[in-house]
Amino acid sequence: MTTPGNAEHGLRLIPFHGLRYVPERVGSLAAVTSPPYDVVVRPDGVDYLESADPHNIVRLILPQAETPAARDEKAARTLHDWLAQGVLSADPEPALYVYEQRKAGLLQRGIIGALALSAAEAGIVLPHEDVMPDVVTDRAGLMRATSANLEPLLLTYRGDGPAGAAGVVEDTAAREPLLSTVTEDGFRHSLWAITDPAELAVVTADLAHRQALIADGHHRWATYLRLQEEHGSPTPWDFGLVLLVDTARYPLQVRAIHRMLRRLPLAEALAKLEGSFRVRPVEGPLPLALEALADASERGNAFLLTGDGTFHLVTDPDPDLIERTVRHDRPEAWRRLDATVLHASLLDALWQIPDAPDHIAYIHDGAATVAMAERHGGTAVLLHPVREEVVRDLARQGVTMPRKSTSFGPKPATGLVLRSLD
């Protein structure tokens, strides 16, 4: 995406001394990586990752302790120890990093760097989702304690050809990488450093005209902005760690984020929909039921509810319910989003469930959502992904979607490169 105005009002991505694992000090690079913090299903996922290697990055991004303050202190102490022991080491030259993810027919490349922060009103970095204040507070405590950006956000922009930053990315990826590792999910992750002043200048000049969309990491971006305000300027807190992907060359996949309602049994959830939505049973197993959801989503709002081994398609909301429960000061495209209708009409009006962690779990994987609902006697609410062009169009209008509306991917692995702010 290209920004209006002059080059001074675009993206400013600067090199940094990347903190990286020293391969000789860990079992394997794959064993110390993790998905982003909000994708790890707790506590099972944390326990599994911690057991993969004593130095797995999950010990920094999701430290385990009784209180938030104790967790933050534990992460800071762990990071300090790993640096002192040579488990992590800073690269000698500041660099931008080309990052590649490859699996079967999927290839994604982008640039990791420290991006100058800007408010949404500046129109340089566009958020598309609301955030939850308690999550921002949690992430701020962790970043404050460790004085580090532990994992890159995923941002997208639209390039306009093979020259400029895109050319530098492709040329760099033809060289020998700094590291290459295959994680358990089958993705090969490779990293290269860009340190040549001429190549850095090309990237800088190209991105200076660009506008980016936050694909993944709204809470961490909001955290960056909060900590920048705390520290004042100019400081290293004026920048935040990001992965920038040119989606004109490497289109992202867009997936839904599902909800698991901890305290609402499926039978009760379905009973409360009577007269307000059309509810009909659909055949399982889950992949087959998701096909029915995809078909129904082409015609309007649709949700798949399960939790006891049966599957129920929820469609055709009562127009009077939508009129009464969905706010009117947003574009019609926003008012008709599945996430909008879910939160305004179902969660708030019909089910009366607070949007709080002890009531609602947000889970990226459909099967994991179903398994958790069955384990807890709750209700899994599965959604169909929104189209990327809808996300971009709303973001350009300055309209944010309900939180946890989309999951763009593939997401960068956490642990390949970190950024210290000290």
PDB file of all heavy atoms in Angstrom, residues 145-183:
ATOM      1  N   ALA A 145      10.039  -5.173  31.647  1.00  0.00           N
ATOM      2  CA  ALA A 145      10.964  -5.914  32.507  1.00  0.00           C
ATOM      3  C   ALA A 145      12.175  -6.429  31.739  1.00  0.00           C
ATOM      4  O   ALA A 145      13.305  -6.372  32.222  1.00  0.00           O
ATOM      5  CB  ALA A 145      10.233  -7.074  33.175  1.00  0.00           C
ATOM      6  N   THR A 146      11.939  -6.939  30.526  1.00  0.00           N
ATOM      7  CA  THR A 146      13.040  -7.516  29.747  1.00  0.00           C
ATOM      8  C   THR A 146      13.786  -6.480  28.928  1.00  0.00           C
ATOM      9  O   THR A 146      14.898  -6.740  28.464  1.00  0.00           O
ATOM     10  CB  THR A 146      12.502  -8.594  28.790  1.00  0.00           C
ATOM     11  OG1 THR A 146      11.502  -8.016  27.930  1.00  0.00           O
ATOM     12  CG2 THR A 146      11.900  -9.768  29.560  1.00  0.00           C
ATOM     13  N   SER A 147      13.176  -5.315  28.737  1.00  0.00           N
ATOM     14  CA  SER A 147      13.741  -4.271  27.881  1.00  0.00           C
ATOM     15  C   SER A 147      14.087  -4.854  26.510  1.00  0.00           C
ATOM     16  O   SER A 147      15.188  -4.668  25.985  1.00  0.00           O
ATOM     17  CB  SER A 147      14.983  -3.637  28.521  1.00  0.00           C
ATOM     18  OG  SER A 147      15.335  -2.446  27.840  1.00  0.00           O
ATOM     19  N   ALA A 148      13.119  -5.565  25.954  1.00  0.00           N
ATOM     20  CA  ALA A 148      13.363  -6.246  24.681  1.00  0.00           C
ATOM     21  C   ALA A 148      12.065  -6.435  23.921  1.00  0.00           C
ATOM     22  O   ALA A 148      10.988  -6.542  24.512  1.00  0.00           O
ATOM     23  CB  ALA A 148      14.021  -7.609  24.921  1.00  0.00           C
ATOM     24  N   ASN A 149      12.192  -6.464  22.592  1.00  0.00           N
ATOM     25  CA  ASN A 149      11.118  -6.934  21.715  1.00  0.00           C
ATOM     26  C   ASN A 149      11.414  -8.401  21.443  1.00  0.00           C
ATOM     27  O   ASN A 149      12.375  -8.734  20.746  1.00  0.00           O
ATOM     28  CB  ASN A 149      11.088  -6.164  20.396  1.00  0.00           C
ATOM     29  CG  ASN A 149      10.820  -4.676  20.549  1.00  0.00           C
ATOM     30  OD1 ASN A 149      11.247  -3.894  19.718  1.00  0.00           O
ATOM     31  ND2 ASN A 149      10.127  -4.270  21.609  1.00  0.00           N
ATOM     32  N   LEU A 150      10.610  -9.291  21.998  1.00  0.00           N
ATOM     33  CA  LEU A 150      10.918 -10.719  21.981  1.00  0.00           C
ATOM     34  C   LEU A 150      10.415 -11.431  20.734  1.00  0.00           C
ATOM     35  O   LEU A 150      10.867 -12.535  20.429  1.00  0.00           O
ATOM     36  CB  LEU A 150      10.331 -11.386  23.224  1.00  0.00           C
ATOM     37  CG  LEU A 150      10.844 -10.841  24.564  1.00  0.00           C
ATOM     38  CD1 LEU A 150      10.071 -11.462  25.719  1.00  0.00           C
ATOM     39  CD2 LEU A 150      12.338 -11.106  24.715  1.00  0.00           C
ATOM     40  N   GLU A 151       9.459 -10.825  20.013  1.00  0.00           N
ATOM     41  CA  GLU A 151       8.931 -11.477  18.812  1.00  0.00           C
ATOM     42  C   GLU A 151       8.394 -10.424  17.857  1.00  0.00           C
ATOM     43  O   GLU A 151       7.802  -9.430  18.283  1.00  0.00           O
ATOM     44  CB  GLU A 151       7.845 -12.498  19.167  1.00  0.00           C
ATOM     45  CG  GLU A 151       6.793 -12.031  20.143  1.00  0.00           C
ATOM     46  CD  GLU A 151       5.864 -13.165  20.569  1.00  0.00           C
ATOM     47  OE1 GLU A 151       5.760 -14.167  19.855  1.00  0.00           O
ATOM     48  OE2 GLU A 151       5.232 -13.029  21.629  1.00  0.00           O
ATOM     49  N   PRO A 152       8.613 -10.619  16.551  1.00  0.00           N
ATOM     50  CA  PRO A 152       8.185  -9.603  15.586  1.00  0.00           C
ATOM     51  C   PRO A 152       6.688  -9.652  15.314  1.00  0.00           C
ATOM     52  O   PRO A 152       6.086 -10.726  15.263  1.00  0.00           O
ATOM     53  CB  PRO A 152       8.970  -9.962  14.323  1.00  0.00           C
ATOM     54  CG  PRO A 152       9.194 -11.437  14.433  1.00  0.00           C
ATOM     55  CD  PRO A 152       9.330 -11.726  15.908  1.00  0.00           C
ATOM     56  N   LEU A 153       6.086  -8.485  15.147  1.00  0.00           N
ATOM     57  CA  LEU A 153       4.721  -8.400  14.635  1.00  0.00           C
ATOM     58  C   LEU A 153       4.751  -8.738  13.149  1.00  0.00           C
ATOM     59  O   LEU A 153       5.783  -8.612  12.492  1.00  0.00           O
ATOM     60  CB  LEU A 153       4.179  -6.980  14.779  1.00  0.00           C
ATOM     61  CG  LEU A 153       3.721  -6.477  16.137  1.00  0.00           C
ATOM     62  CD1 LEU A 153       4.871  -6.399  17.118  1.00  0.00           C
ATOM     63  CD2 LEU A 153       3.091  -5.090  15.987  1.00  0.00           C
ATOM     64  N   LEU A 154       3.613  -9.121  12.594  1.00  0.00           N
ATOM     65  CA  LEU A 154       3.476  -9.377  11.161  1.00  0.00           C
ATOM     66  C   LEU A 154       2.710  -8.220  10.533  1.00  0.00           C
ATOM     67  O   LEU A 154       1.532  -8.009  10.845  1.00  0.00           O
ATOM     68  CB  LEU A 154       2.749 -10.701  10.927  1.00  0.00           C
ATOM     69  CG  LEU A 154       2.439 -11.074   9.473  1.00  0.00           C
ATOM     70  CD1 LEU A 154       3.709 -11.174   8.640  1.00  0.00           C
ATOM     71  CD2 LEU A 154       1.657 -12.397   9.412  1.00  0.00           C
ATOM     72  N   LEU A 155       3.380  -7.465   9.677  1.00  0.00           N
ATOM     73  CA  LEU A 155       2.772  -6.352   8.957  1.00  0.00           C
ATOM     74  C   LEU A 155       2.847  -6.622   7.464  1.00  0.00           C
ATOM     75  O   LEU A 155       3.789  -7.270   6.986  1.00  0.00           O
ATOM     76  CB  LEU A 155       3.498  -5.030   9.259  1.00  0.00           C
ATOM     77  CG  LEU A 155       3.020  -4.216  10.472  1.00  0.00           C
ATOM     78  CD1 LEU A 155       3.185  -4.993  11.760  1.00  0.00           C
ATOM     79  CD2 LEU A 155       3.785  -2.899  10.563  1.00  0.00           C
ATOM     80  N   THR A 156       1.862  -6.132   6.723  1.00  0.00           N
ATOM     81  CA  THR A 156       1.879  -6.303   5.274  1.00  0.00           C
ATOM     82  C   THR A 156       1.844  -4.951   4.583  1.00  0.00           C
ATOM     83  O   THR A 156       1.317  -3.967   5.119  1.00  0.00           O
ATOM     84  CB  THR A 156       0.662  -7.127   4.789  1.00  0.00           C
ATOM     85  OG1 THR A 156      -0.520  -6.300   4.818  1.00  0.00           O
ATOM     86  CG2 THR A 156       0.446  -8.355   5.646  1.00  0.00           C
ATOM     87  N   TYR A 157       2.448  -4.920   3.402  1.00  0.00           N
ATOM     88  CA  TYR A 157       2.338  -3.741   2.542  1.00  0.00           C
ATOM     89  C   TYR A 157       2.222  -4.238   1.107  1.00  0.00           C
ATOM     90  O   TYR A 157       2.430  -5.420   0.829  1.00  0.00           O
ATOM     91  CB  TYR A 157       3.536  -2.806   2.713  1.00  0.00           C
ATOM     92  CG  TYR A 157       4.830  -3.306   2.114  1.00  0.00           C
ATOM     93  CD1 TYR A 157       5.273  -2.853   0.867  1.00  0.00           C
ATOM     94  CD2 TYR A 157       5.618  -4.247   2.785  1.00  0.00           C
ATOM     95  CE1 TYR A 157       6.460  -3.319   0.307  1.00  0.00           C
ATOM     96  CE2 TYR A 157       6.802  -4.714   2.234  1.00  0.00           C
ATOM     97  CZ  TYR A 157       7.217  -4.256   0.997  1.00  0.00           C
ATOM     98  OH  TYR A 157       8.389  -4.723   0.446  1.00  0.00           O
ATOM     99  N   ARG A 158       1.869  -3.338   0.202  1.00  0.00           N
ATOM    100  CA  ARG A 158       1.698  -3.718  -1.191  1.00  0.00           C
ATOM    101  C   ARG A 158       2.790  -3.063  -2.020  1.00  0.00           C
ATOM    102  O   ARG A 158       2.800  -1.850  -2.240  1.00  0.00           O
ATOM    103  CB  ARG A 158       0.323  -3.276  -1.706  1.00  0.00           C
ATOM    104  CG  ARG A 158      -0.858  -3.829  -0.924  1.00  0.00           C
ATOM    105  CD  ARG A 158      -1.109  -5.276  -1.211  1.00  0.00           C
ATOM    106  NE  ARG A 158      -1.594  -5.486  -2.580  1.00  0.00           N
ATOM    107  CZ  ARG A 158      -1.855  -6.684  -3.088  1.00  0.00           C
ATOM    108  NH1 ARG A 158      -1.679  -7.772  -2.356  1.00  0.00           N
ATOM    109  NH2 ARG A 158      -2.281  -6.819  -4.330  1.00  0.00           N
ATOM    110  N   GLY A 159       3.765  -3.866  -2.466  1.00  0.00           N
ATOM    111  CA  GLY A 159       4.792  -3.357  -3.362  1.00  0.00           C
ATOM    112  C   GLY A 159       4.252  -3.233  -4.777  1.00  0.00           C
ATOM    113  O   GLY A 159       3.125  -3.631  -5.070  1.00  0.00           O
ATOM    114  N   ASP A 160       5.081  -2.704  -5.671  1.00  0.00           N
ATOM    115  CA  ASP A 160       4.588  -2.499  -7.038  1.00  0.00           C
ATOM    116  C   ASP A 160       5.577  -2.990  -8.089  1.00  0.00           C
ATOM    117  O   ASP A 160       5.677  -2.415  -9.160  1.00  0.00           O
ATOM    118  CB  ASP A 160       4.238  -1.025  -7.278  1.00  0.00           C
ATOM    119  CG  ASP A 160       5.334  -0.081  -6.816  1.00  0.00           C
ATOM    120  OD1 ASP A 160       6.469  -0.566  -6.600  1.00  0.00           O
ATOM    121  OD2 ASP A 160       5.065   1.118  -6.672  1.00  0.00           O
ATOM    122  N   GLY A 161       6.314  -4.046  -7.778  1.00  0.00           N
ATOM    123  CA  GLY A 161       7.200  -4.596  -8.794  1.00  0.00           C
ATOM    124  C   GLY A 161       8.401  -5.273  -8.182  1.00  0.00           C
ATOM    125  O   GLY A 161       8.570  -5.319  -6.962  1.00  0.00           O
ATOM    126  N   PRO A 162       9.272  -5.803  -9.041  1.00  0.00           N
ATOM    127  CA  PRO A 162      10.426  -6.574  -8.563  1.00  0.00           C
ATOM    128  C   PRO A 162      11.611  -5.723  -8.125  1.00  0.00           C
ATOM    129  O   PRO A 162      12.603  -6.273  -7.648  1.00  0.00           O
ATOM    130  CB  PRO A 162      10.789  -7.412  -9.786  1.00  0.00           C
ATOM    131  CG  PRO A 162      10.364  -6.576 -10.956  1.00  0.00           C
ATOM    132  CD  PRO A 162       9.140  -5.838 -10.510  1.00  0.00           C
ATOM    133  N   ALA A 163      11.528  -4.406  -8.290  1.00  0.00           N
ATOM    134  CA  ALA A 163      12.650  -3.548  -7.904  1.00  0.00           C
ATOM    135  C   ALA A 163      12.527  -3.146  -6.440  1.00  0.00           C
ATOM    136  O   ALA A 163      11.676  -3.645  -5.701  1.00  0.00           O
ATOM    137  CB  ALA A 163      12.695  -2.319  -8.807  1.00  0.00           C
ATOM    138  N   GLY A 164      13.373  -2.234  -5.995  1.00  0.00           N
ATOM    139  CA  GLY A 164      13.293  -1.704  -4.637  1.00  0.00           C
ATOM    140  C   GLY A 164      13.524  -2.772  -3.583  1.00  0.00           C
ATOM    141  O   GLY A 164      14.368  -3.663  -3.733  1.00  0.00           O
ATOM    142  N   ALA A 165      12.747  -2.698  -2.497  1.00  0.00           N
ATOM    143  CA  ALA A 165      12.897  -3.645  -1.394  1.00  0.00           C
ATOM    144  C   ALA A 165      12.692  -5.075  -1.864  1.00  0.00           C
ATOM    145  O   ALA A 165      13.387  -5.992  -1.410  1.00  0.00           O
ATOM    146  CB  ALA A 165      11.916  -3.302  -0.278  1.00  0.00           C
ATOM    147  N   ALA A 166      11.750  -5.284  -2.775  1.00  0.00           N
ATOM    148  CA  ALA A 166      11.490  -6.644  -3.279  1.00  0.00           C
ATOM    149  C   ALA A 166      12.731  -7.224  -3.943  1.00  0.00           C
ATOM    150  O   ALA A 166      13.049  -8.409  -3.757  1.00  0.00           O
ATOM    151  CB  ALA A 166      10.321  -6.615  -4.265  1.00  0.00           C
ATOM    152  N   GLY A 167      13.451  -6.412  -4.707  1.00  0.00           N
ATOM    153  CA  GLY A 167      14.669  -6.879  -5.362  1.00  0.00           C
ATOM    154  C   GLY A 167      15.751  -7.245  -4.372  1.00  0.00           C
ATOM    155  O   GLY A 167      16.448  -8.267  -4.537  1.00  0.00           O
ATOM    156  N   VAL A 168      15.881  -6.447  -3.313  1.00  0.00           N
ATOM    157  CA  VAL A 168      16.875  -6.738  -2.276  1.00  0.00           C
ATOM    158  C   VAL A 168      16.526  -8.047  -1.563  1.00  0.00           C
ATOM    159  O   VAL A 168      17.396  -8.880  -1.281  1.00  0.00           O
ATOM    160  CB  VAL A 168      16.981  -5.575  -1.276  1.00  0.00           C
ATOM    161  CG1 VAL A 168      17.892  -5.954  -0.100  1.00  0.00           C
ATOM    162  CG2 VAL A 168      17.495  -4.318  -1.960  1.00  0.00           C
ATOM    163  N   VAL A 169      15.250  -8.244  -1.277  1.00  0.00           N
ATOM    164  CA  VAL A 169      14.811  -9.480  -0.616  1.00  0.00           C
ATOM    165  C   VAL A 169      15.174 -10.692  -1.463  1.00  0.00           C
ATOM    166  O   VAL A 169      15.735 -11.683  -0.973  1.00  0.00           O
ATOM    167  CB  VAL A 169      13.290  -9.439  -0.337  1.00  0.00           C
ATOM    168  CG1 VAL A 169      12.777 -10.822   0.047  1.00  0.00           C
ATOM    169  CG2 VAL A 169      12.975  -8.439   0.761  1.00  0.00           C
ATOM    170  N   GLU A 170      14.869 -10.630  -2.761  1.00  0.00           N
ATOM    171  CA  GLU A 170      15.123 -11.788  -3.628  1.00  0.00           C
ATOM    172  C   GLU A 170      16.621 -12.031  -3.790  1.00  0.00           C
ATOM    173  O   GLU A 170      17.083 -13.184  -3.772  1.00  0.00           O
ATOM    174  CB  GLU A 170      14.461 -11.582  -4.993  1.00  0.00           C
ATOM    175  CG  GLU A 170      12.946 -11.403  -4.939  1.00  0.00           C
ATOM    176  CD  GLU A 170      12.237 -12.499  -4.166  1.00  0.00           C
ATOM    177  OE1 GLU A 170      12.506 -13.689  -4.424  1.00  0.00           O
ATOM    178  OE2 GLU A 170      11.415 -12.175  -3.293  1.00  0.00           O
ATOM    179  N   ASP A 171      17.410 -10.972  -3.966  1.00  0.00           N
ATOM    180  CA  ASP A 171      18.855 -11.133  -4.106  1.00  0.00           C
ATOM    181  C   ASP A 171      19.463 -11.727  -2.838  1.00  0.00           C
ATOM    182  O   ASP A 171      20.331 -12.607  -2.897  1.00  0.00           O
ATOM    183  CB  ASP A 171      19.513  -9.778  -4.399  1.00  0.00           C
ATOM    184  CG  ASP A 171      19.191  -9.265  -5.800  1.00  0.00           C
ATOM    185  OD1 ASP A 171      18.703 -10.061  -6.626  1.00  0.00           O
ATOM    186  OD2 ASP A 171      19.418  -8.065  -6.050  1.00  0.00           O
ATOM    187  N   THR A 172      18.990 -11.259  -1.685  1.00  0.00           N
ATOM    188  CA  THR A 172      19.533 -11.740  -0.415  1.00  0.00           C
ATOM    189  C   THR A 172      19.203 -13.210  -0.200  1.00  0.00           C
ATOM    190  O   THR A 172      20.031 -13.999   0.264  1.00  0.00           O
ATOM    191  CB  THR A 172      18.975 -10.892   0.751  1.00  0.00           C
ATOM    192  OG1 THR A 172      19.286  -9.521   0.532  1.00  0.00           O
ATOM    193  CG2 THR A 172      19.571 -11.333   2.075  1.00  0.00           C
ATOM    194  N   ALA A 173      17.983 -13.602  -0.568  1.00  0.00           N
ATOM    195  CA  ALA A 173      17.550 -14.984  -0.360  1.00  0.00           C
ATOM    196  C   ALA A 173      18.272 -15.970  -1.262  1.00  0.00           C
ATOM    197  O   ALA A 173      18.181 -17.188  -1.059  1.00  0.00           O
ATOM    198  CB  ALA A 173      16.041 -15.095  -0.567  1.00  0.00           C
ATOM    199  N   ALA A 174      19.007 -15.473  -2.251  1.00  0.00           N
ATOM    200  CA  ALA A 174      19.791 -16.356  -3.117  1.00  0.00           C
ATOM    201  C   ALA A 174      21.147 -16.699  -2.499  1.00  0.00           C
ATOM    202  O   ALA A 174      21.881 -17.540  -3.031  1.00  0.00           O
ATOM    203  CB  ALA A 174      19.998 -15.696  -4.482  1.00  0.00           C
ATOM    204  N   ARG A 175      21.480 -16.053  -1.373  1.00  0.00           N
ATOM    205  CA  ARG A 175      22.769 -16.282  -0.720  1.00  0.00           C
ATOM    206  C   ARG A 175      22.649 -17.364   0.352  1.00  0.00           C
ATOM    207  O   ARG A 175      21.565 -17.853   0.641  1.00  0.00           O
ATOM    208  CB  ARG A 175      23.274 -14.965  -0.100  1.00  0.00           C
ATOM    209  CG  ARG A 175      23.398 -13.824  -1.105  1.00  0.00           C
ATOM    210  CD  ARG A 175      23.565 -12.478  -0.412  1.00  0.00           C
ATOM    211  NE  ARG A 175      23.451 -11.377  -1.377  1.00  0.00           N
ATOM    212  CZ  ARG A 175      23.178 -10.111  -1.041  1.00  0.00           C
ATOM    213  NH1 ARG A 175      22.998  -9.794   0.230  1.00  0.00           N
ATOM    214  NH2 ARG A 175      23.084  -9.190  -1.985  1.00  0.00           N
ATOM    215  N   GLU A 176      23.778 -17.671   0.971  1.00  0.00           N
ATOM    216  CA  GLU A 176      23.798 -18.632   2.066  1.00  0.00           C
ATOM    217  C   GLU A 176      23.152 -18.003   3.301  1.00  0.00           C
ATOM    218  O   GLU A 176      23.531 -16.905   3.711  1.00  0.00           O
ATOM    219  CB  GLU A 176      25.237 -19.032   2.380  1.00  0.00           C
ATOM    220  CG  GLU A 176      25.372 -20.206   3.328  1.00  0.00           C
ATOM    221  CD  GLU A 176      24.922 -21.522   2.724  1.00  0.00           C
ATOM    222  OE1 GLU A 176      24.909 -21.650   1.471  1.00  0.00           O
ATOM    223  OE2 GLU A 176      24.581 -22.441   3.503  1.00  0.00           O
ATOM    224  N   PRO A 177      22.191 -18.661   3.931  1.00  0.00           N
ATOM    225  CA  PRO A 177      21.511 -18.035   5.078  1.00  0.00           C
ATOM    226  C   PRO A 177      22.355 -18.082   6.348  1.00  0.00           C
ATOM    227  O   PRO A 177      23.255 -18.911   6.495  1.00  0.00           O
ATOM    228  CB  PRO A 177      20.249 -18.873   5.234  1.00  0.00           C
ATOM    229  CG  PRO A 177      20.612 -20.212   4.673  1.00  0.00           C
ATOM    230  CD  PRO A 177      21.589 -19.952   3.570  1.00  0.00           C
ATOM    231  N   LEU A 178      22.030 -17.166   7.270  1.00  0.00           N
ATOM    232  CA  LEU A 178      22.616 -17.208   8.603  1.00  0.00           C
ATOM    233  C   LEU A 178      22.188 -18.472   9.337  1.00  0.00           C
ATOM    234  O   LEU A 178      22.955 -19.084  10.074  1.00  0.00           O
ATOM    235  CB  LEU A 178      22.155 -16.001   9.436  1.00  0.00           C
ATOM    236  CG  LEU A 178      22.640 -14.614   9.085  1.00  0.00           C
ATOM    237  CD1 LEU A 178      21.914 -13.602   9.958  1.00  0.00           C
ATOM    238  CD2 LEU A 178      24.143 -14.509   9.283  1.00  0.00           C
ATOM    239  N   LEU A 179      20.940 -18.838   9.142  1.00  0.00           N
ATOM    240  CA  LEU A 179      20.399 -20.028   9.795  1.00  0.00           C
ATOM    241  C   LEU A 179      19.273 -20.583   8.952  1.00  0.00           C
ATOM    242  O   LEU A 179      18.627 -19.873   8.174  1.00  0.00           O
ATOM    243  CB  LEU A 179      19.900 -19.707  11.218  1.00  0.00           C
ATOM    244  CG  LEU A 179      18.716 -18.739  11.364  1.00  0.00           C
ATOM    245  CD1 LEU A 179      17.370 -19.471  11.270  1.00  0.00           C
ATOM    246  CD2 LEU A 179      18.801 -18.009  12.682  1.00  0.00           C
ATOM    247  N   SER A 180      19.045 -21.869   9.112  1.00  0.00           N
ATOM    248  CA  SER A 180      17.928 -22.538   8.462  1.00  0.00           C
ATOM    249  C   SER A 180      17.539 -23.725   9.331  1.00  0.00           C
ATOM    250  O   SER A 180      18.404 -24.501   9.739  1.00  0.00           O
ATOM    251  CB  SER A 180      18.318 -23.007   7.059  1.00  0.00           C
ATOM    252  OG  SER A 180      17.192 -23.494   6.358  1.00  0.00           O
ATOM    253  N   THR A 181      16.257 -23.828   9.635  1.00  0.00           N
ATOM    254  CA  THR A 181      15.799 -24.909  10.497  1.00  0.00           C
ATOM    255  C   THR A 181      14.373 -25.288  10.125  1.00  0.00           C
ATOM    256  O   THR A 181      13.610 -24.459   9.619  1.00  0.00           O
ATOM    257  CB  THR A 181      15.876 -24.502  11.989  1.00  0.00           C
ATOM    258  OG1 THR A 181      15.610 -25.634  12.812  1.00  0.00           O
ATOM    259  CG2 THR A 181      14.883 -23.401  12.312  1.00  0.00           C
ATOM    260  N   VAL A 182      14.020 -26.539  10.364  1.00  0.00           N
ATOM    261  CA  VAL A 182      12.670 -27.026  10.074  1.00  0.00           C
ATOM    262  C   VAL A 182      11.963 -27.288  11.396  1.00  0.00           C
ATOM    263  O   VAL A 182      12.434 -28.086  12.217  1.00  0.00           O
ATOM    264  CB  VAL A 182      12.703 -28.325   9.231  1.00  0.00           C
ATOM    265  CG1 VAL A 182      11.274 -28.811   8.971  1.00  0.00           C
ATOM    266  CG2 VAL A 182      13.426 -28.074   7.911  1.00  0.00           C
ATOM    267  N   THR A 183      10.835 -26.620  11.605  1.00  0.00           N
ATOM    268  CA  THR A 183      10.082 -26.795  12.840  1.00  0.00           C
ATOM    269  C   THR A 183       9.112 -27.965  12.708  1.00  0.00           C
ATOM    270  O   THR A 183       8.889 -28.505  11.623  1.00  0.00           O
ATOM    271  CB  THR A 183       9.333 -25.505  13.214  1.00  0.00           C
ATOM    272  OG1 THR A 183       8.658 -24.993  12.052  1.00  0.00           O
ATOM    273  CG2 THR A 183      10.304 -24.450  13.714  1.00  0.00           C
TER     274      THR A 183
END
